[in-house]
Amino acid sequence: MSLQAKSASFDWHFPNIPNHRAQDDETEGETAPQADVLVAEPEVAKPPMYAVVMYNDNYTPMEFVVYVLQSEFRHNVDTAVQIMLTIHNTSKGIAGIYPKDIAETKAKKVNSLAHREGYPLLTQIEPHQGE
């Protein structure tokens, strides 16, 4: 039996009523039961965010940290200096907050750049609990 032949004798909306009977019922003035379908908006959750954290050391120049904050995290000079001072004074600071894959990529790129330049600057990611 072909797909068209099956669909002609069977309506999936009314699995127990052949198609021709459902049509006959409608023409007699009675309405066949109808299935109500509610379409819900898909729930899209925000991805978990991660902070890219830079740690202080006694060897990486402050100018290099400011450069990295500007070039890799797109901070302006004033913000980059403020973050660098936070890192210097409190032993660590947040360079940026991103979804996990972006945060990992930025941390690896900064660590690689610092290593190439001969600095021990350490950057890692950690889950961010804020907004």
Side-chain angles (χ1 to χ4, degrees), residues 64-75 80 106 109-110 113:
F64 181 76
V65 175
V66 170
Y67 165 76
V68 168
L69 289 166
Q70 287 183 283
S71 64
E72 299 303 324
F73 298 97
R74 304 291 181 216
H75 292 294
K106 287 192 175 284
K109 190 171 181 182
V110 169
L113 177 61

Side-chain angles (χ1 to χ4, degrees), residues 103-123:
E104 286 177 339
T105 301
K106 287 192 175 284
K108 287 178 184 177
K109 190 171 181 182
V110 169
N111 289 337
S112 177
L113 177 61
H115 181 72
R116 267 196 321 267
E117 295 296 322
Y119 302 127
L121 179 65
L122 177 62
T123 304

Side-chain angles (χ1 to χ4, degrees), residues 26-53:
E26 289 177 11
T27 58
E28 293 175 10
E30 295 179 24
T31 58
Q34 296 191 5
D36 289 329
V37 178
L38 297 176
V39 179
E41 291 293 321
E43 292 183 24
V44 180
K46 291 183 178 180
M49 302 300 276
Y50 286 78
V52 180
V53 180

Side-chain angles (χ1 to χ4, degrees), residues 7-65:
S7 65
S9 65
F10 182 77
D11 185 354
W12 67 273
H13 292 99
F14 308 105
N16 297 323
I17 303 174
N19 216 12
H20 66 279
R21 243 184 90 202
Q23 291 172 352
D24 290 344
D25 289 347
E26 289 177 11
T27 58
E28 293 175 10
E30 295 179 24
T31 58
Q34 296 191 5
D36 289 329
V37 178
L38 297 176
V39 179
E41 291 293 321
E43 292 183 24
V44 180
K46 291 183 178 180
M49 302 300 276
Y50 286 78
V52 180
V53 180
M54 298 176 81
Y55 293 90
N56 187 49
D57 62 69
N58 293 326
Y59 303 101
T60 304
M62 293 179 178
E63 294 81 11
F64 181 76
V65 175

